Amino acid sequence: MTTAEGFAPAKVNLTLHVTGQRADGYHLLDSLVVFADLGDRLWYEPGPRLSLEVTGPFSQGVPADARNLVWRAAEAARWTGCIRLEKNLPHGAGIGGGSSDAAAALRDLGGPTSAALALGADVPVCLSSAPQRMTGIGEVLTLVPTVPALNMVLVNPGGAVPTPAVFAALAEKSHPAMDEIPAVAEHAEFIDWLSCQRNDLEAPARSCAPQIDAALTSLNQADLVRMSGSGATCFGVFADPGTAREAALRIGSLHPTWWVRACRTIAGSAGQVPPYG
Ligand code: C5P
């Protein structure tokens, strides 16, 4: 029996502007989304029945049944067999987690992309690991080929942050959209542009989860520091991989209980497969 392998990269919202709210409560977003060269891994072995085994450092508390989005993605693909999911990313953490896993399974098992949005608002963007501008509630996607590869440190100070609570704590629902994305791939100019954009969920997330303040402060040597998604993971962008690695080592030794990783994001022009680290 052949076992196929899949990869679910960490999603990072370089920006996340909340521009309105629909009548059904879902929020309208304008977000620049990129993907990192680290993530969860999946293995698929076809068989007569669907089963799911969850392993890895963040497997605790992850359901291995129909509550798991990977299971529902397999059902949407009408696929049966054994799926092993290795959870390397913290979940409830603003970096994709379950959404990226679900998108990987849907894509790898040949499920219809039309099923993605019903699995979660973040699932459609995770179907591709290229940089994308995400609008609507997450379903309107445009590839942004000018985003350069970025050297980053991801810092998660612990404590799952429930996305609905963060949206509920957002006082003003209608913020300005992103500025026009520059047609340049040069690091400094891109960082200048990025520093004028926002994550509108940062303030409400900090009020729900005060540990985010310490995570942001720990990254103060980066060229740009921001929270991803609804938190609590924060990212720092560094000029080169060596500086990012040094920062990750320093932050990790100061905060041994935090999840701290240096990574590189997948550039817009690159169609290549990441080094599945
Ligand atoms: O779609 P998903 O289940 O991932 O979303 C989780 C929650 O996040 C939703 O129930 C909703 O409270 C909030 N959300 C939102 N607007 C979005 C995406 C998510 O209000 N565009």
Side-chain angles (χ1 to χ4, degrees):
M1 192 91 46
T2 33
T3 305
E5 194 176 329
F7 179 64
K11 170 219 74 169
V12 178
N13 298 88
L14 292 179
T15 69
L16 206 173
H17 297 222
V18 180
T19 58
Q21 189 173 28
R22 296 197 320 197
D24 65 0
Y26 269 82
H27 293 78
L28 297 170
L29 309 175
D30 190 8
S31 177
L32 184 57
V33 181
V34 295
F35 293 87
D37 61 356
L38 75 163
D40 296 338
R41 297 164 74 120
L42 301 98
W43 290 267
Y44 313 96
E45 192 176 310
R49 273 185 314 281
L50 185 56
S51 66
L52 177 62
E53 183 196 355
V54 186
T55 64
F58 289 98
S59 59
Q60 205 184 352
V62 178
D65 54 30
R67 287 170 296 167
N68 193 307
L69 291 180
V70 165
W71 185 289
R72 286 160 52 195
E75 284 182 336
R78 298 176 184 280
W79 183 90
T80 59
C82 177
I83 303 176
R84 182 156 77 84
L85 170 63
E86 184 183 84
K87 293 294 295 181
N88 299 312
L89 301 177
H91 29 90
I95 51 171
S99 303
S100 193
D101 297 342
L106 197 63
R107 188 184 58 226
D108 297 341
L109 301 176
T113 54
S114 57
L117 186 62
L119 294 170
D122 261 357
V123 178
V125 74
C126 295
L127 285 171
S128 159
S129 37
Q132 292 157 81
R133 185 177 193 162
M134 178 177 91
T135 55
I137 64 162
E139 81 286 19
V140 183
L141 300 165
T142 318
L143 288 170
V144 186
T146 53
V147 179
L150 299 169
N151 301 295
M152 269 189 189
V153 175
L154 302 180
V155 171
N156 184 283
V161 180
T163 303
V166 174
F167 274 110
L170 179 70
E172 169 59 56
K173 307 290 189 185
S174 187
H175 298 258
M178 252 194 297
D179 293 331
E180 193 184 333
I181 303 168
V184 289
E186 202 270 315
H187 180 81
E189 271 176 82
F190 187 73
I191 295 297
D192 283 349
W193 173 81
L194 208 50
S195 60
C196 296
Q197 315 308 311
R198 312 178 306 275
N199 181 343
D200 289 325
L201 295 182
E202 209 170 285
R206 290 168 83 163
S207 71
C208 297
Q211 69 271 27
I212 293 169
D213 292 355
L216 290 166
T217 304
S218 75
L219 286 160
N220 60 7
Q221 287 178 23
D223 295 342
L224 176 114
V225 182
R226 187 162 287 156
M227 192 186 81
S228 178
S230 55
T233 305
C234 300
F235 62 92
V237 181
F238 292 81
D240 59 81
T243 324
R245 271 197 302 273
E246 279 168 29
L249 282 173
R250 192 180 56 247
I251 297 166
S253 64
L254 285 171
H255 302 281
T257 61
W258 291 5
W259 182 79
V260 182
R261 292 288 183 281
C263 65
R264 193 165 161 84
T265 67
I266 299 160
S269 52
Q272 86 270 25
V273 170
Y276 293 166

